Amino acid sequence: MIHEFIRDKMNYLIHSSAMESTYVEISVKNPLLDTSTIKDYPLVEGREVMLRATLEDGTVGECFTATPTHFRGTLGELLVKGKQSCLIATFNALMRKKGFIDRTVHCTGNAPERCAELLSDYLELLGYDRVALLGFQPAFVRKLHETFGDRLQVTDLNPGNKGKKYGVDVFDAKKKQ
């Protein structure tokens, strides 16, 4: 379902900009996270990897996946035979290239913890009473739980992330709760 949605949106972006022959390379990258305070990042534990899609002009987009994969070829070829994770990483790069988004590269070091603080402060400022986090991100879960307590719900597609984490139940996103 999401696979078709992303493919359709990419198809429109690529063809409306005549970018079918634009070269893209997709490979696994290490974000070099600081694990001194948070040790269970799925990327660090090896449960997930980060894919980086680099367009021929150097524009980059990334995504997380449980399945490492590589691709080299044109955007037209990717549309035909690309896996979902490759499509998502490349879609992020294309959205950046077009100016629709500007943060398509994962944080390094302890930046996820600072980002979690900013997110929590922002949600409080907006007056949100309840928060749902789609996807287990340890720094976010820890900080959002400090701020919102039991008013935080977390889901994740990876069954290995289910259970109690940082005081919050992480639910299986594939199951109706």
Side-chain angles (χ1 to χ4, degrees), residues 50-98:
M50 184 179 347
L51 291 186
R52 176 176 287 174
T54 306
L55 301 177
E56 64 187 24
D57 70 352
T59 305
V60 172
E62 295 176 339
C63 80
F64 300 101
T65 182
T67 310
T69 188
H70 299 274
F71 177 86
R72 287 186 183 136
T74 67
L75 293 176
E77 293 168 337
L78 181 67
L79 279 173
V80 172
K81 57 185 173 186
K83 295 180 180 178
Q84 180 173 320
S85 56
C86 290
L87 293 173
I88 292 170
T90 304
F91 187 63
N92 286 334
L94 286 169
M95 294 292 284
R96 182 176 188 147
K97 181 175 181 64
K98 291 298 204 173

Side-chain angles (χ1 to χ4, degrees), residues 9-17 91 94-95 98 100:
K9 297 302 177 190
M10 278 185 62
N11 187 45
Y12 174 78
L13 276 176
I14 290 167
H15 286 94
S16 67
S17 302
F91 187 63
L94 286 169
M95 294 292 284
K98 291 298 204 173
F100 295 123

Side-chain angles (χ1 to χ4, degrees), residues 4-150:
E4 291 82 20
F5 176 81
I6 295 293
R7 192 180 305 277
D8 288 345
K9 297 302 177 190
M10 278 185 62
N11 187 45
Y12 174 78
L13 276 176
I14 290 167
H15 286 94
S16 67
S17 302
M19 296 177 65
E20 298 89 345
S21 62
T22 299
Y23 182 78
V24 61
E25 182 172 346
I26 301 168
S27 59
V28 174
K29 292 295 176 190
N30 182 347
L32 302 173
L33 295 169
D34 175 1
T35 58
S36 60
T37 59
I38 295 180
K39 306 204 181 303
D40 60 342
Y41 287 109
L43 287 172
V44 173
E45 291 184 336
R47 289 182 282 147
E48 293 181 5
V49 297
M50 184 179 347
L51 291 186
R52 176 176 287 174
T54 306
L55 301 177
E56 64 187 24
D57 70 352
T59 305
V60 172
E62 295 176 339
C63 80
F64 300 101
T65 182
T67 310
T69 188
H70 299 274
F71 177 86
R72 287 186 183 136
T74 67
L75 293 176
E77 293 168 337
L78 181 67
L79 279 173
V80 172
K81 57 185 173 186
K83 295 180 180 178
Q84 180 173 320
S85 56
C86 290
L87 293 173
I88 292 170
T90 304
F91 187 63
N92 286 334
L94 286 169
M95 294 292 284
R96 182 176 188 147
K97 181 175 181 64
K98 291 298 204 173
F100 295 123
I101 58 177
D102 63 0
R103 289 175 177 82
T104 58
V105 176
H106 194 277
C107 305
T108 60
N110 70 349
E113 293 176 71
R114 178 65 183 132
C115 187
E117 291 174 21
L118 293 171
L119 174 63
S120 182
D121 291 349
Y122 184 66
L123 293 173
E124 271 192 307
L125 179 69
L126 292 176
Y128 285 101
D129 185 48
R130 298 179 55 80
V131 174
L133 183 63
L134 307 179
F136 175 68
Q137 203 291 3
F140 286 12
V141 172
R142 186 176 73 173
K143 182 59 183 172
L144 289 172
H145 182 253
E146 286 176 14
T147 304
F148 292 95
D150 63 359

